[in-house]
Amino acid sequence: MLTAWAEADVVSLREITRHHVDAAVDGHSGRARRQLALALRSLLRTLKRERVVFRDPAQHLRVGSPTGIPKVVPSDLLANALRQTKTPLGRLVLVLATVHAVPVHELRTILTCDLDLARGTLIIRGGLRRHTIYLEELTHQIAADWLDYRHCRWPASSNPRLLVSQRSALDPDYPAVGKTLLRVDVPPGLTLVRLRQDRILNEAAETADPLRLMRLFGITEKTAMHYVTAAHPERTAKLPR
């Protein structure tokens, strides 16, 4: 971030304003946002204490999500996402995040045996939790295309994971595919986190039923209520907290 500010002709950290700090964390989410926010708060607080800067522009900065409310993905970006994604791996990752709201860390743990095309199901593992996804026609076809591609490209692969790369497919240690590779084919302006949030938020707007969200996406009661609150603030404002 300091390098980016320097390239933007910021000569001294005394020039940094609240706008600079907000812009720095904008577009980040989850752990990446938390780490950046903590670093900026620590740096600027220390500089103010040492009287190197006169004010602390990061004093207002929250470590977590700035609002706690999921942001909706613009409809034009969402509509073109699958059309722009050409690779079999990228299409499967995108459809699992966009249609079924599967988190990135759980995408990496899916085993090939978790996918049952005959029954049209996919098991998602989250620690001791198991969540079964029922595949609609689009996801079923894209999953089948990926299995065909995987078998033709790496017929000797013994890696039990469903998603593999050129490196992990033949690695005897059976590593999970890297998070960076999963994001390669995501169209500009989108992230897998935002796509997942948008899917759950849309469902919450349609049903306002936290139990349905829990069954459909395998999320916790707290997370389900979080999305229902975001989608229907007028209905949940008077609920006890």
Side-chain angles (χ1 to χ4, degrees):
M1 200 63 251
L2 295 178
T3 301
W5 282 341
E7 291 174 350
D9 297 326
V10 175
V11 179
S12 168
L13 289 177
R14 293 178 179 176
E15 300 177 25
I16 298 301
T17 64
R18 178 168 179 166
H19 173 74
H20 287 97
V21 174
D22 288 338
V25 299
D26 187 36
H28 294 78
S29 61
R31 184 178 180 183
R33 187 188 191 284
R34 176 180 175 82
Q35 289 179 331
L36 180 56
L38 284 172
L40 290 175
R41 284 179 55 177
S42 177
L43 170 65
L44 294 168
R45 184 190 303 120
T46 301
L47 292 178
K48 185 176 186 300
R49 185 172 61 244
E50 298 296 328
R51 298 184 179 180
V52 177
V53 299
F54 302 117
R55 61 186 181 280
D56 179 4
Q59 185 176 5
H60 72 287
L61 191 61
R62 295 183 58 181
V63 172
S65 173
T67 63
I69 298 177
K71 297 180 179 179
V72 175
V73 176
S75 57
D76 57 334
L77 292 179
L78 197 54
N80 292 327
L82 266 178
R83 192 179 310 140
Q84 296 176 19
T85 306
K86 304 301 182 183
T87 68
L89 175 63
R91 289 175 62 82
L92 181 57
V93 168
L94 197 61
V95 76
L96 288 177
T98 304
V99 178
H100 300 284
V102 181
V104 175
H105 66 279
E106 292 181 0
L107 285 171
R108 303 174 69 232
T109 63
I110 300 174
L111 303 179
T112 303
C113 63
D114 293 333
L115 176 62
D116 188 337
L117 291 178
R119 295 183 178 181
T121 60
L122 175 64
I123 297 175
I124 303 298
R125 303 169 183 267
L128 298 177
R129 177 180 58 81
R130 298 290 184 272
H131 171 58
T132 300
I133 289 176
Y134 295 91
L135 308 179
E136 86 302 333
E137 183 177 357
L138 174 63
T139 306
H140 190 281
Q141 183 60 56
I142 290 177
D145 292 343
W146 164 249
L147 283 183
D148 289 342
Y149 176 85
R150 186 185 191 279
H151 179 70
C152 292
R153 181 73 183 274
W154 304 290
S157 175
S158 57
N159 192 322
R161 303 182 190 280
L162 177 64
L163 304 182
V164 294
S165 64
Q166 183 173 353
R167 176 177 296 181
S168 67
L170 303 176
D171 192 322
D173 293 328
Y174 308 142
V177 68
K179 293 181 181 180
T180 302
L181 182 62
L182 296 182
R183 302 186 183 107
V184 166
D185 290 313
V186 178
L190 294 176
T191 66
L192 293 176
V193 172
R194 288 191 65 197
L195 288 170
R196 176 177 181 268
Q197 289 179 341
D198 184 72
R199 175 66 181 96
I200 303 175
L201 191 59
N202 282 339
E203 191 67 33
E206 289 290 329
T207 67
D209 183 356
L211 292 179
R212 175 175 172 80
L213 299 184
M214 293 167 66
R215 290 193 297 266
L216 194 59
F217 303 118
I219 58 180
T220 65
E221 178 183 357
K222 181 179 179 180
T223 301
M225 282 303 303
H226 175 70
Y227 279 95
V228 171
T229 300
H232 301 280
E234 73 288 351
R235 299 185 187 182
T236 57
K238 296 182 180 180
L239 290 178
R241 299 183 180 277

